[in-house]
Amino acid sequence: MTRIQKTVFILVALIALVVGLTVSKVLNSQRQLDPTQLLDAGIVVLPQSRTVPSLSLTDQDGEAVKLNELDGQWTLLFFGYTFCPDICPTTLAELRQLNGMLPDAVRDQLRIILVSVDPNRDTPEKLKEYLGYFNAGFQGLTGPLDDIQTLANGVGIPFIPGDTS
C-alpha cells in the first residue's frame, strides 16, 4: 500500500468514525445539542433540514424512488461509484462497521444510500451486485447525470463528473 493510499484510508476511516459517532449522538440525544461543542468537533448542524430536490432516481432493484420519500427518517447520502478503487469501498466498509455498532432502535432510524456519480456504468444491476459485497442493507441510487448533479448541488456536495472515455 502506497503512502497516499494509507493516508486516504486513514482519512476515510476518521470521516466515517466522526459521521457514525455524530449520527449516534444525534439519534440518541434527548436534549438540545450544544452547537459550540459540535463546531469544536468540526461538525456543522444546520438550523433546518435542506430541501431535497424533487427528483426520482432508480434504486438497485430497478424501482423508481422519489427523493421526497426520504422524509421522516435519517438518511446518509454517500456519493461514490462502483468502479472506485479505494475510497468508496473503504468508506462503505467503515459505514457497515459503524452501522453494526449502533443499537437496533437507532439502526432502524438510519438509511444509508450510495448515490452513483457514474450513472453511465453504474446500472441498477451493478449497484445491487456491488452493495451485496457489503451485506449491510445499503441502498443504491442512479439516474440521469443531470438529476444526480441537481441532487448533489441541492445537498451541498460538489462533484465534477469523471471522464469515462
Side-chain angles (χ1 to χ4, degrees):
M1 189 180 287
T2 68
R3 184 175 182 190
I4 292 174
Q5 289 174 325
K6 288 179 186 176
T7 303
V8 168
F9 178 79
I10 291 169
L11 179 62
V12 168
L14 288 173
I15 291 170
L17 178 63
V18 169
V19 167
L21 292 173
T22 303
V23 168
S24 178
K25 182 169 180 149
V26 169
L27 293 177
N28 284 324
S29 177
Q30 297 300 324
R31 58 183 170 74
Q32 184 69 20
L33 298 173
D34 181 5
T36 306
Q37 289 178 326
L38 292 174
L39 281 175
D40 289 344
I43 301 166
V44 177
V45 177
L46 300 173
Q48 61 188 24
S49 63
R50 294 199 177 180
T51 303
V52 177
S54 252
L55 297 171
S56 180
L57 296 175
T58 304
D59 72 8
Q60 73 277 3
D61 295 319
E63 300 293 324
V65 174
K66 292 181 182 175
L67 296 183
N68 61 357
E69 293 173 0
L70 301 179
D71 286 350
Q73 185 176 3
W74 282 95
T75 303
L76 189 147
L77 297 175
F78 173 65
F79 288 78
Y81 58 105
T82 63
F83 287 85
C84 175
D86 45 27
I87 294 173
C88 300
T90 302
T91 302
L92 288 170
E94 290 287 330
L95 288 171
R96 176 190 61 211
Q97 182 179 4
L98 290 169
N99 195 39
M101 294 165 44
L102 294 172
D104 290 341
V106 174
R107 190 178 314 117
D108 292 342
Q109 296 176 35
L110 177 64
R111 175 182 25 227
I112 299 174
I113 299 176
L114 168 66
V115 179
S116 173
V117 295
D118 185 9
N120 293 328
R121 294 189 289 178
D122 288 345
T123 63
E125 297 80 17
K126 184 68 179 170
L127 280 172
K128 186 171 191 160
E129 176 187 0
Y130 184 73
L131 292 172
Y133 296 131
F134 300 96
N135 196 25
F138 297 159
Q139 186 176 7
L141 293 177
T142 189
L145 187 58
D146 288 344
D147 288 351
I148 293 168
Q149 187 76 63
T150 299
L151 172 61
N153 292 343
V155 296
I157 303 296
F159 85 91
I160 299 170
D163 179 8
T164 58
S165 62

